Amino acid sequence: MVILLLYLIFNAPSVTLVITFQSLCTIFDGLVFATIFALLHKIFSKNNIGLAIGVINLGGMTGAFLAPMVMGYLIETFNGSYTSAFIYLILCAVLTIIAAVGLNMKKGLSVSTIQW
């Protein structure tokens, strides 16, 4: 859904629609955020949950740090065109979906037995 909303933001004919699509994108992003952190409680034991949340948060913060720089570079490289920046955001979302599909949620193969 976020991918679709990013595409709609890019092609929105008015500022009103940009704000509407961006608001919806933020709502769905919040749902994904809540799901990820709830899922960690099912995968990791209570002894390792703090470390797991820290690692996930580090990944998110690293992405939040790098994405604006990458997008600025892409916009500058493509002579002020925001097309490349939106393609970058959509590709990042697709890669996230691929990573999420790759998660193995079978109980017998849980990573909660890993000793950190």
Side-chain angles (χ1 to χ4, degrees):
M1 184 55 111
V2 172
I3 296 171
L4 174 65
L5 289 169
L6 286 171
Y7 178 77
L8 291 173
I9 290 170
F10 178 67
N11 290 309
S14 69
V15 174
T16 304
L17 284 176
V18 168
I19 293 170
T20 302
F21 294 144
Q22 190 171 15
S23 298
L24 289 171
C25 192
T26 302
I27 290 169
F28 283 105
D29 185 47
L31 292 173
V32 169
F33 179 81
T35 303
I36 288 171
F37 282 94
L39 183 63
L40 291 176
H41 289 279
K42 293 187 177 283
I43 297 174
F44 292 94
S45 70
K46 66 180 182 177
N47 295 333
N48 295 329
I49 191 67
L51 179 62
I53 288 174
V55 170
I56 295 293
N57 195 36
L58 173 68
M61 293 298 116
T62 303
F65 174 74
L66 294 176
M69 289 188 285
V70 171
M71 291 171 61
Y73 174 77
L74 290 171
I75 292 167
E76 190 175 294
T77 301
F78 289 95
N79 298 321
S81 172
Y82 284 79
T83 304
S84 59
F86 275 96
I87 290 171
Y88 168 73
L89 288 175
I90 291 169
L91 286 176
C92 287
V94 169
L95 289 174
T96 302
I97 290 171
I98 292 170
V101 169
L103 287 176
N104 191 346
M105 295 305 301
K106 294 181 182 178
K107 256 207 188 302
L109 299 175
S110 175
V111 294
S112 64
T113 57
I114 295 175
Q115 296 298 317
W116 296 88

